[in-house]
Amino acid sequence: MIIISPAKNLNILPEKLSIKLSEPFFINDTNLLASKLKKLQFDKLKNLMNISDSLTELNLQRFQDFNSNKNVCKPAAFLFSGDTFNGLSIRSFSKEILFLAQKRLRILSGLYGLLRPLDLIQPYRLEMGTKIESILGTSLHEFWKKKITSRLNNDLSQLKTKYLFNLSSQEYFESIDKKDLNAKIINFDFKIFKENKLKAPGMMIKKYRGIMARFIIMNKIVDVDELKTFNEAGFKFDSYDQFNNKLLFISK
């Protein structure tokens, strides 16, 4: 099982997809959150999300349009279009690989909790770290934690796997209850060797996470040792930190 974070950038252009789409696991909880956010005034939403006036207008309208007939609906992995999803490049998947991704890939979400790639969703912006306590009575992490963890355990059991490959950000990963998760969590790190030093790749790490998720799905990887064969975007396996269950990949 693989987990990734969602993206702020969205591709709302219509696409024809001849594949069976699915409904998000927690649609009732999503509708509850959307109904609360729909009631917010401009200034409250702007301060809550810490975004510009233009983005506030856009997202205010998105919540107003939520569940309306005129709203855009697309599969999650086709709607999200940030660096992780550029790296994942799901539009190049065959139907067989898409079916495999639907079983193995999960996207953590502030509004939807946990998504499969082909779950039909609407445009939104709600980061998992948004300080929503005054509206919801709890944090989004706490709101979703039991639901996400239970669902992941169910999916892990169906896959008969003992590993969760964590390619999400820390902000989203905190929405999982690690002590109740029935899997060994495998983490990933990417570093660039430059000027005789190992340096973090900055925002590009999102794309490398997407490329790794794609590599795992395309090559049907189920074991940690198989991950060490990764050789894409200039990165190769360097070492495995057993204490933190973390694989390090370096680009020279």
Side-chain angles (χ1 to χ4, degrees), residues 44 50 152 159:
K44 179 75 173 175
N50 192 26
L152 280 175
L159 273 181

Side-chain angles (χ1 to χ4, degrees), residues 5 30 63 88 117 134 142 153 164 189 196 219 222:
S5 303
T30 297
F63 285 121
L88 181 65
S134 62
E142 290 306 315
N153 280 336
L164 180 71
D189 198 9
N196 292 321
N219 293 282
V222 295

